[in-house]
Amino acid sequence: MQHNHTIAAVATGEGGAISVIRVSGPEAIPICDKLFLGVNGRELHTQEGYTLLYGTIEPVEGEVVDDVLVSIFRCPFSFTGEDMVEISCHGSTYIKQELMRLLNEAGAKPAGPGEFTLRAFLNGKMDLAQAEAVADLIASDSRGAHDLAMNQMRGGYSDEFRTLRGQLLDLAALLELELDFSEEDVEFADRLKIGELMDQLSARIGRLKESYAWGNVIKNGIPVAIVGSPNVGKSTLLNALLKEDKAMVSDIPGTTRDVIEDVINIRGVQFRFIDTAGIRYTDDTLEAMGIERTRKRMTTASVILFVAEATETVQEIDSKLKSIDWQPRQHTILLLNKADKSPGSTEALKKALEETTGLPVIAISARTGENLEELTAYLYTLAGSAPEGADVIVTNARHFEALSEAYRAIEQAKTALENQLSGDLLAEDIRHVLHHVGTITGDAPTTEDVLGAIFSRFCIGK
């Protein structure tokens, strides 16, 4: 994995008035000097770091590509830890393509996905957890996800794992020291104290591991499927929740023939709503395909909103519920829609259904908005909350897997201690714990395959 060449990439998305082209590497400043003509003849290589210059891109005398601002960052005081130049130009697609062509001709290679952040990691500007947080920060679309990513990127997350790793190193050192003197039957640590320390470490790793359930909710949102028979108001409900006409609404049964998705934010938690085709038997090939997709998507939802009409009977609704292939751990809420059409009998129907089905029942009117606030409030309670005492929340699946392996290893070490097994077996288990915890921040040996998998999901330019 060679990273000693100079790279360049557009670091901003499409559609903006201003774009930034980022150049990093040992030849970043000389390469840009070939193209840049500063006001009053100022050249980039003569300037200090953290300098901003105004000028033009003129590869050939008299041929101006654009007026630009150029920022200079000198090694090691840059994002990547290398010499860096950032060119702020106008957002024209032609200008960006032309600048990239000129930079490539001058000696800069196109950057790969995440290569700037990868260089920052390799040059010690951030650890692996902080590097991954850069991608999470870019992808964050709620305040909760933003706050977690920002805390991780600024090092608060890594501090927790460094503290944990330090405690594990202390324990490992005690056990290793005993191994050095094993022939002399010397014990440097009381087994009772070692057991207490292992219990503390196990509890700490366990809390971090358990926080992933909440972190995953904050980062990725909660999938909610809206299901029920045709024409019960599923699409009207989705539109009412989104406050826009996302789904087509019609009195004709079977209008929704495919899965429609959108996201709403409830008190900082993302809910991904899935409006599905009405479930019924049909000879219509397209509608049947939509119903099959509905059944598949239902298996991936964490929450099911089963919509029925407030004019139906308990027996009719219960029969429809029993026809659904429910998945374990799915939360199901029974919604009695069109409650505004039969206000007198809805309350009795609601109580009877709660007793019969054991499900929470909310009477709503998707058309008028009646009780939709009660529904969204109930959905928010299903998101849960951060585990008690968890100052750090795990949001990354790779970190969760590493913590799961670390937890298994420390529990195995505790069992070995209880069974009075030899110190070398205890030490080996603790080494495994250290390895798995270290992979989170990159303090353990990290293969090129792992780094490639992590940084390949980054956007180019970051």
Side-chain angles (χ1 to χ4, degrees), residues 19 36 68 127 134 139 214 244 250 284 295 341 375 382 452:
S19 291
F36 177 73
V68 298
D127 62 36
V134 173
W214 171 248
E244 64 171 295
S250 167
D284 187 304
R295 295 188 183 279
K341 292 186 177 181
L375 172 59
L382 296 181

Side-chain angles (χ1 to χ4, degrees), residues 22-42:
R22 176 178 277 176
V23 187
S24 180
E27 298 299 313
I29 294 173
I31 285 173
C32 292
D33 245 340
K34 296 176 184 178
L35 311 175
F36 177 73
L37 181 64
V39 171
N40 299 325
R42 296 170 72 186

Side-chain angles (χ1 to χ4, degrees), residues 35 54 64 84 137 167-168 293 317 325 418 434 451 456:
L35 311 175
Y54 171 71
V64 178
M84 272 187 63
L137 186 65
Q167 292 174 330
L168 286 165
R293 289 188 180 184
I317 296 172
D325 183 20
E418 290 168 3
L434 266 169
L451 291 179
S456 64

Side-chain angles (χ1 to χ4, degrees), residues 354-426:
E354 287 173 341
E355 292 176 1
T356 303
T357 66
L359 297 174
V361 182
I362 302 176
I364 66 167
S365 172
R367 184 178 63 85
T368 66
E370 179 183 339
N371 286 340
L372 290 190
E373 287 188 6
E374 181 183 346
L375 172 59
T376 56
Y378 189 87
L379 285 171
Y380 181 75
T381 65
L382 296 181
S385 59
E388 187 176 346
D391 296 325
V392 170
I393 305 296
V394 176
T395 63
N396 187 296
R398 186 183 72 84
H399 300 176
F400 173 72
E401 290 299 324
L403 286 166
S404 297
E405 293 296 329
Y407 186 76
R408 278 191 283 270
I410 192 113
E411 287 296 302
Q412 188 170 315
K414 286 169 61 179
T415 301
L417 184 67
E418 290 168 3
N419 294 331
Q420 298 183 340
L421 298 184
S422 62
D424 57 339
L425 293 176
L426 281 174

Side-chain angles (χ1 to χ4, degrees), residues 123-276:
N123 292 328
K125 301 299 290 186
M126 58 179 67
D127 62 36
L128 199 52
Q130 290 174 295
E132 289 173 291
V134 173
D136 289 343
L137 186 65
I138 293 169
S140 64
D141 48 15
S142 70
R143 180 170 182 173
H146 168 271
D147 290 348
L148 288 176
M150 184 60 74
N151 178 56
Q152 184 173 333
M153 194 175 76
R154 294 176 71 86
Y157 185 86
S158 299
D159 289 345
E160 172 74 13
F161 288 99
R162 288 199 183 93
T163 300
L164 176 59
R165 188 169 181 271
Q167 292 174 330
L168 286 165
L169 283 170
D170 290 341
L171 176 57
L174 282 173
L175 295 171
E176 295 285 356
L177 194 58
E178 285 192 6
L179 289 178
D180 290 341
F181 291 89
S182 57
E183 294 182 0
E184 301 176 29
D185 197 26
V186 176
E187 237 182 50
F188 288 90
D190 182 272
R191 283 296 188 264
L192 182 61
K193 290 184 178 180
I194 287 180
E196 291 174 352
L197 182 54
M198 283 186 179
D199 285 338
Q200 293 170 10
L201 290 169
S202 176
R204 191 168 192 170
I205 294 171
R207 282 196 302 272
L208 288 167
K209 182 171 71 75
E210 290 168 6
S211 75
Y212 177 69
W214 171 248
N216 193 46
V217 164
I218 294 298
K219 181 179 176 181
N220 298 315
I222 299 175
V224 182
I226 305 174
V227 301
S229 301
N231 220 32
V232 293
K234 300 185 299 299
S235 296
T236 304
L237 174 60
L238 177 65
N239 289 342
L241 290 168
L242 298 174
K243 295 181 173 58
E244 64 171 295
D245 291 335
K246 178 76 173 183
M248 185 169 62
V249 176
S250 167
D251 291 333
I252 303 171
T255 302
T256 302
R257 299 190 173 195
D258 204 350
V259 173
I260 300 172
E261 296 189 38
D262 215 324
V263 176
I264 67 170
N265 189 304
I266 302 175
R267 304 182 199 175
V269 178
Q270 295 277 12
F271 288 83
R272 293 184 282 113
F273 283 91
I274 309 162
D275 179 25
T276 61

Side-chain angles (χ1 to χ4, degrees), residues 29 33 41-48 53 72 74:
I29 294 173
D33 245 340
R42 296 170 72 186
E43 297 178 306
L44 301 179
H45 71 271
T46 64
Q47 306 300 310
E48 299 290 332
L53 298 181
I72 302 169
R74 290 193 175 272

